[in-house]
Amino acid sequence: MEPLLRVEHITICYNGKPVVHDVSFELQQGEILGIVGESGSGKSTIIKAVMGLLGNSGLVTRGDIYYKGQNVIDMPQGELRKLLGPEIGMVFQDCKAALCPIRTVGDQIFESMSEHGKISREESDRLAAETMGKIGLTDAKRVLGSYPFELSGGMNQRVGICSAMMQHPSLLLADEPTSALDVTVQKQVVEELKLMRDAYNTSMIVVTHNIGVVGVLADQVLVLQNGNVMDYGPTQRILHHSENGYTKKLMDSVLHLKRKKAQD
């Protein structure tokens, strides 16, 4: 089966300096890939390259990125922009910061939807409420009428997920989607991402430093160190049976709490 996304031997530079070296992976429809590694290992850079968001200083200097058989690196910017939203969605690390503070959530979702086709505000609100309902948000009317600063961090993150999923993209890219949240809300957001995958058969790339999130969510894991692939394969093998020295150290660094045995 032809993969939905195929990344072949990409090297990415910022201002001429390589920060990602010879990275390759594939993603099938409905599959979730977790990308893990230390800060500065190139995790977020890879998904920015998929979306063409490296900025003026960033450049893929080697390799190719194929989405549904099309090389997005060679794609004209206008053509790529048509894919962003309907085909490829994005959940940012801090969705509150990504939203305009002086416009309501409903206004911003409607603007985003209007960029990719003719739609009424009523239809936009209906679709937003329907998507929110799939992850258990029953007060969509209040959320859509709120400003981002009136919502909690967890609620803003849910808004980001719903906004990205409203057009049912085939691929969702999530950049540290749980890092700014407390543990309880992290669990909820992870479950909501799984629900979105189950509802729409959406493929996902989840960039995270949280090994627990990867263990629950991902089918495959890519381990990076200083922009180099250290390990890649099925989640359970990578997390529990890897032969790679760096991966073992990364797994050993995860905090494990043990319950103290009761004294007789």
Side-chain angles (χ1 to χ4, degrees):
M1 183 183 299
E2 176 71 19
L4 178 74
L5 182 73
R6 188 169 78 252
V7 174
E8 295 185 344
H9 303 289
I10 59 167
T11 293
I12 305 172
C13 296
Y14 277 108
N15 296 315
K17 180 181 179 181
V19 294
V20 170
H21 313 271
D22 194 27
V23 171
S24 298
F25 61 86
E26 292 184 351
L27 190 66
Q28 298 290 344
Q29 187 69 58
E31 187 176 49
I32 298 178
L33 171 71
I35 303 182
V36 301
E38 303 166 74
S39 296
S41 60
K43 303 186 299 294
S44 297
T45 297
I46 290 173
I47 61 173
K48 287 178 182 177
V50 173
M51 297 193 75
L53 297 178
L54 291 172
N56 294 330
S57 60
L59 185 67
V60 178
T61 58
R62 180 175 177 266
D64 299 289
I65 301 174
Y66 292 97
Y67 173 76
K68 291 187 175 179
Q70 294 180 288
N71 194 338
V72 299
I73 294 175
D74 297 333
M75 194 175 290
Q77 196 65 28
E79 191 174 337
L80 179 59
R81 284 191 64 183
K82 292 178 182 178
L83 293 179
L84 304 183
E87 289 281 343
I88 304 174
M90 179 74 177
V91 178
F92 294 94
Q93 181 173 350
D94 184 353
C95 288
K96 182 178 179 180
L99 292 168
C100 176
I102 59 172
R103 301 184 64 205
T104 66
V105 167
D107 285 343
Q108 295 181 68
I109 288 178
F110 174 57
E111 180 182 29
S112 175
M113 294 292 287
S114 299
E115 282 291 311
H116 298 285
K118 188 174 181 180
I119 187 172
S120 67
R121 176 58 187 267
E122 182 181 8
E123 180 68 4
S124 176
D125 287 354
R126 186 191 68 78
L127 289 172
E130 179 182 292
T131 307
M132 289 179 183
K134 288 189 180 296
I135 58 174
L137 291 181
T138 57
D139 55 350
K141 185 175 180 180
R142 178 186 70 83
V143 173
L144 292 171
S146 298
Y147 295 91
F149 63 83
E150 295 179 307
L151 302 174
S152 67
M155 191 64 77
N156 273 294
Q157 209 67 8
R158 290 183 177 92
V159 167
I161 293 171
C162 289
S163 180
M165 289 302 302
M166 277 181 62
Q167 298 182 69
H168 305 169
S170 296
L171 175 62
L172 182 69
L173 307 175
D175 189 4
E176 297 280 7
T178 63
S179 65
L181 309 175
D182 63 46
V183 174
T184 302
V185 181
Q186 281 184 19
K187 182 177 184 297
Q188 293 171 346
V189 169
V190 167
E191 290 301 320
E192 287 156 8
L193 287 170
K194 290 172 68 176
L195 283 170
M196 290 293 98
R197 191 264 294 270
D198 294 342
Y200 302 114
N201 197 32
T202 305
S203 301
M204 299 183 187
I205 298 178
V206 180
V207 165
T208 182
H209 63 274
N210 190 323
I211 303 301
V213 168
V214 168
V216 172
L217 194 58
D219 302 299
Q220 304 279 331
V221 179
L222 180 75
V223 181
L224 292 177
Q225 182 186 31
N226 298 324
N228 296 291
V229 176
M230 306 306 293
D231 223 337
Y232 173 50
T235 300
Q236 293 307 307
R237 180 180 71 77
I238 297 297
L239 298 191
H240 303 294
H241 306 290
S242 176
E243 296 297 322
N244 181 271
Y246 176 75
T247 302
K248 288 181 178 179
K249 288 181 180 179
L250 193 65
M251 297 307 118
D252 288 342
S253 70
V254 178
L255 179 63
H256 297 283
L257 299 179
K258 295 183 179 180
R259 187 184 298 274
K260 186 177 179 180
K261 292 182 180 180
Q263 297 294 325
D264 293 332

